[in-house]
Amino acid sequence: MAKVNHSDHSHFLLRSQARDEVITVLKAEKIDLALLEAKYGFVTPQKVLQALQRDAIQGKSDVFQEDIYEKPMVELDKLVEKQRGTHRRMLEQLLMVEQAHKQALYKLEDEKRNHGEFMRKSDEFTNLLEQERERSVTNFFVVIS
């Protein structure tokens, strides 16, 4: 068995590290640019995204943990559903208010009609009283003369 000295071991270690670096760069270059943009959330020059991906690979992190757009889209879907529910409740409340408004208008129209009828009867009664007063005054002067 051959004995490995320290310089051979260092040389082998450097070559291994260089090989790993080349593999990571090649992996980063191979990944689709759209996937990198989705992961990092911005559009930048391809080399920057590849460098970020290379660093992530070297850091032994998962190549793609999750799409950064996935969570906001889930939250947006929740918000849309909440808004739909709120919109439905608002329409229900609007319908209730509209019905209450119609009832109030009917009551006001009824009051207006009743008031008009009361005023007409009051005017008739006042006219009858005036006619009776004139008749009484006329009869009084006829009796006196």
Side-chain angles (χ1 to χ4, degrees):
M1 188 175 235
K3 203 174 195 185
V4 179
N5 65 18
H6 182 61
S7 68
D8 289 340
H9 181 38
S10 295
H11 179 67
F12 177 73
L13 185 61
L14 287 174
R15 285 187 68 181
S16 174
Q17 287 175 343
R19 182 184 57 100
D20 289 345
E21 178 72 23
V22 168
I23 290 171
T24 358
V25 167
L26 290 174
K27 280 184 183 179
E29 288 175 356
K30 187 177 178 182
I31 293 175
D32 185 22
L33 184 61
L35 294 173
L36 292 174
E37 289 171 354
K39 179 178 180 182
Y40 294 109
F42 52 86
V43 178
T44 59
Q46 184 174 359
K47 294 289 183 189
V48 173
L49 292 174
Q50 287 173 343
L52 286 170
Q53 186 61 28
R54 181 193 65 229
D55 294 344
I57 292 170
Q58 283 179 341
K60 303 294 186 229
S61 67
D62 292 336
V63 176
F64 289 105
Q65 296 97 6
E66 75 176 62
D67 184 354
I68 62 155
Y69 296 114
E70 186 175 326
K71 186 176 179 182
M73 289 304 292
V74 169
E75 293 299 317
L76 183 60
D77 290 341
K78 286 179 186 177
L79 180 64
V80 167
E81 285 303 312
K82 182 78 168 176
Q83 180 61 26
R84 283 184 182 143
T86 302
H87 183 256
R88 182 185 44 77
R89 285 190 304 279
M90 293 281 292
L91 288 177
E92 289 171 356
Q93 290 177 355
L94 183 61
L95 182 61
M96 288 177 8
V97 168
E98 186 178 6
Q99 289 172 349
H101 180 69
K102 282 181 182 179
Q103 285 179 346
L105 285 176
Y106 290 140
K107 285 181 181 178
L108 284 173
E109 287 295 323
D110 192 39
E111 289 286 326
K112 184 178 177 181
R113 191 181 71 254
N114 288 341
H115 179 71
E117 189 176 315
F118 174 78
M119 292 304 292
R120 186 181 49 78
K121 287 181 180 179
S122 179
D123 287 345
E124 286 177 9
F125 183 71
T126 304
N127 286 339
L128 286 174
L129 286 176
E130 285 179 5
Q131 288 174 2
E132 185 62 32
R133 185 181 65 80
E134 287 176 13
R135 204 175 313 134
S136 293
V137 168
T138 308
N139 284 341
F140 178 74
F141 286 120
V142 168
V143 171
I144 294 181
S145 29

